[in-house]
Amino acid sequence: MKLDPNKLHFIPLGGCGEIGMNLNVYVYQRSAVIVDCGVMFSAEKDAAVFADIDSLWTVADRVLAILITHAHQDHIGALKDVWPELKCPIYGSRFAIEMVYSALDETDFSRDVPIRVLGQSEAFKLGPFEIERIPLTHSTVEMGAFVIAAAGSTVLHTGDWTFDSDPIVGPLSDLKALEKLGCQNLNAVVGDSTNALESGWTASEGSLRATLLDEIQKSAGRVCVTIFSSNVARIKLLADLAQETGRTFVVLGRSIETVVRAAQSAGYLTDLPPLVSPKQYGYLPPGQVLVVCTGSQGSSNSMLGRLAKDNRNDVYLESGDTVLFSARRVPGCEDDIDTVQALLKSRGIEVVDAQTASIHVSGHPKQDELRMMYSLVKPGCVIPVHGMAKHLDAHANLVKDMGLLAERIENGDVVEIGATCIRIGRVPSGRRLRPLRF
Ligand SMILES: [Zn+2]
Ligand SMILES: [Zn+2]
């Protein structure tokens, strides 16, 4: 389709109708900037799923860069699949880039990727686009929203965010920068819908200090906490609680080890005690061990999946130990989680789940935070993304209830951004698969 060369356009190719595989395109004068390039995991197909970018070339001749908001897999996980078709620079914060490096490490083109490391608050030019990064809190460190301006129009692309007053690691959300944006005639917000169905305000990461400490102190045996591996703040919090309770901090699982290394390269978790080797594990008195491990979604191949199955390895759990599931249940993983929990319980291991205990907080804005965001930035229009249809609908309704305009779109829809935001048509959108096992 032909786009007006004098207008800025937004086209989501992934993430607008599902949670995962985010890929957002901004186009002006046939130059494109992509924000995020993520995957979604399909248990049914045993594959990583990501957006098909073929239709990009019908509206653009070049991609100037991929901007990474943060290092979650639904935002960076498809770089190794998509980059060879784009061969453009990747821009992201120090931590995000460290995670990108480790994701690209398995490829034969990792050394060819031009990288630009962005400061927390940095303004820069990309061809005809003026761009500014604004730090916001999230469940991994160094999340950055992008303000994207071209053709006299300005969009705030939020990424995944909260207004957490105690994020434990990393900067607070830059409310002043958002307020400033509110005085500058912001045309549109393209924003996170994940928690738009939930009333209230997302609890702070720091609020978990007391609840996790309480659960750890209740256990006379080992305490094993399973988390989303990218949650740097949770790793830091658990390391601090290990020290406070006189327990040795043990990190188990390759993906958490990767995150710890990336975080340390970016200047976080630098005071973590040296990692305990599996051989040392058996010599530690059970009541003096705090393990953080992968496997919160019940995967049988994960570290927790293996710990649940048997105790014949160097690292193991026994009757009297406790496992804390400090993560939300990703839809589709419930049965696997229940299976692992049943296995642990059958061996006399106590299980505490975030469904019944306050041992996890979300990294996405609930309704009160969404309202505060829009009061601050005063957008001409809100375009809900990062959600399934029900989340996008709830987000659009909240915006309309505030007396603002919402443009409820789907993957492939083309929105012209100006004094008003109008859906002007569609380009084909689709999915590609990468099998997870060969
Ligand atoms: Zn995220
Ligand atoms: Zn996300």
Side-chain angles (χ1 to χ4, degrees):
M1 79 178 284
K2 195 159 166 41
L3 306 185
D4 182 342
N6 299 312
K7 292 275 170 61
L8 173 64
H9 296 86
F10 169 64
I11 310 166
L13 290 180
C16 200
E18 61 265 302
I19 292 184
M21 55 174 274
N22 297 289
L23 197 148
N24 304 280
V25 185
Y26 291 88
V27 184
Y28 174 53
Q29 291 181 339
R30 295 198 65 82
S31 290
V33 169
I34 291 179
V35 180
D36 293 328
C37 183
V39 285
M40 183 168 73
F41 293 102
S42 163
E44 187 196 339
K45 298 199 166 71
D46 201 13
V49 184
F50 54 97
D52 188 327
I53 59 162
D54 278 353
S55 60
L56 184 60
W57 308 117
T58 65
V59 292
D61 300 323
R62 62 200 80 82
V63 175
L64 301 173
I66 303 170
L67 309 180
I68 301 299
T69 58
H70 66 292
H72 276 151
Q73 286 303 310
D74 58 323
H75 298 258
I76 63 169
L79 283 170
K80 64 180 168 193
D81 306 288
V82 173
W83 186 84
E85 280 173 64
L86 301 174
K87 295 194 166 56
C88 63
I90 298 175
Y91 285 45
S93 72
R94 178 82 264 166
F95 174 70
I97 293 300
E98 290 295 337
M99 292 296 288
V100 167
Y101 277 136
S102 64
L104 296 181
D105 215 19
E106 309 145 13
T107 68
D108 54 9
F109 55 82
S110 60
R111 287 165 188 274
D112 305 331
V113 180
I115 293 286
R116 162 96 188 265
V117 175
L118 296 173
Q120 295 293 333
S121 306
E122 185 174 339
F124 55 97
K125 258 181 94 71
L126 254 180
F129 296 91
E130 304 265 0
I131 299 173
E132 183 192 352
R133 186 183 190 278
I134 297 181
L136 298 178
T137 52
H138 183 43
S139 48
T140 189
V141 75
E142 293 186 353
M143 211 313 288
F146 289 106
V147 180
I148 298 172
S153 298
T154 307
V155 183
L156 172 67
H157 188 103
T158 67
D160 303 0
W161 63 277
T162 56
F163 287 143
D164 190 340
S165 57
D166 185 11
I168 298 189
V169 173
L172 297 177
S173 291
D174 189 346
L175 302 185
K176 283 213 165 66
L178 296 175
E179 218 172 347
K180 202 172 126 204
L181 211 53
C183 305
Q184 292 172 347
N185 193 20
L186 179 68
N187 296 101
V189 169
V190 172
D192 185 355
S193 308
T194 316
N195 278 348
L197 283 160
E198 296 187 38
S199 61
W201 191 279
T202 296
S204 168
E205 184 71 28
S207 72
L208 298 178
R209 246 186 224 107
T211 50
L212 283 169
L213 176 63
D214 189 43
E215 294 296 341
I216 292 164
Q217 284 176 329
K218 274 188 212 163
S219 176
R222 297 177 189 85
V223 175
C224 173
V225 188
T226 182
I227 65 169
F228 289 118
S229 57
S230 55
N231 197 327
V232 177
R234 197 76 48 89
I235 297 170
K236 164 79 176 139
L237 174 57
L238 291 166
D240 290 349
L241 291 176
Q243 194 178 28
E244 199 175 322
T245 54
R247 289 172 180 262
T248 300
F249 188 58
V250 182
V251 175
L252 296 180
R254 218 174 31 182
S255 58
I256 296 191
E257 287 170 13
T258 301
V259 169
V260 167
R261 271 195 301 274
Q264 289 179 331
S265 301
Y268 305 98
L269 304 180
T270 47
D271 54 353
L272 223 56
L275 297 186
V276 172
S277 80
K279 296 274 179 232
Q280 291 167 275
Y281 183 88
Y283 294 103
L284 300 168
Q288 293 175 23
V289 173
L290 194 153
V291 175
V292 60
C293 78
T294 52
S296 64
Q297 301 310 309
S299 162
S300 58
N301 297 321
S302 69
M303 181 50 75
L304 184 62
R306 280 178 278 154
L307 288 173
K309 262 180 271 179
D310 66 57
N311 56 6
R312 287 165 293 174
N313 297 313
D314 286 341
V315 293
Y316 50 85
L317 294 173
E318 298 172 299
S319 175
D321 294 344
T322 301
V323 177
L324 308 180
F325 281 74
S326 180
R328 86 183 165 96
R329 293 174 159 223
V330 172
C333 299
E334 295 90 343
D335 290 350
D336 290 345
I337 297 169
D338 287 342
T339 303
V340 165
Q341 292 191 350
L343 208 53
L344 290 164
K345 285 177 191 165
S346 73
R347 292 180 44 214
I349 296 163
E350 177 147 3
V351 171
V352 181
D353 192 277
Q355 289 192 120
T356 50
S358 302
I359 55 170
H360 176 64
V361 294
S362 165
H364 301 275
K366 293 187 181 176
Q367 292 171 356
D368 286 350
E369 279 154 302
L370 289 169
R371 288 191 193 97
M372 178 169 159
M373 172 65 94
Y374 302 138
S375 304
L376 282 170
V377 301
K378 302 181 179 64
C381 166
V382 174
I383 303 171
V385 294
H386 204 289
M388 294 154 67
K390 61 181 179 181
H391 306 113
L392 306 179
D393 287 341
H395 193 172
N397 289 337
L398 174 140
V399 168
K400 287 176 192 160
D401 287 348
M402 289 182 75
L404 298 169
L405 296 173
E407 191 67 34
R408 168 72 171 85
I409 60 166
E410 295 170 359
N411 290 333
D413 281 340
V414 180
V415 183
E416 193 178 273
I417 294 170
T420 52
C421 298
I422 322 157
R423 195 186 76 89
I424 56 164
R426 280 185 61 73
V427 294
S429 69
R431 293 176 171 187
R432 296 186 197 168
L433 299 182
R434 179 198 342 127
L436 291 174
R437 283 176 217 166
F438 299 97

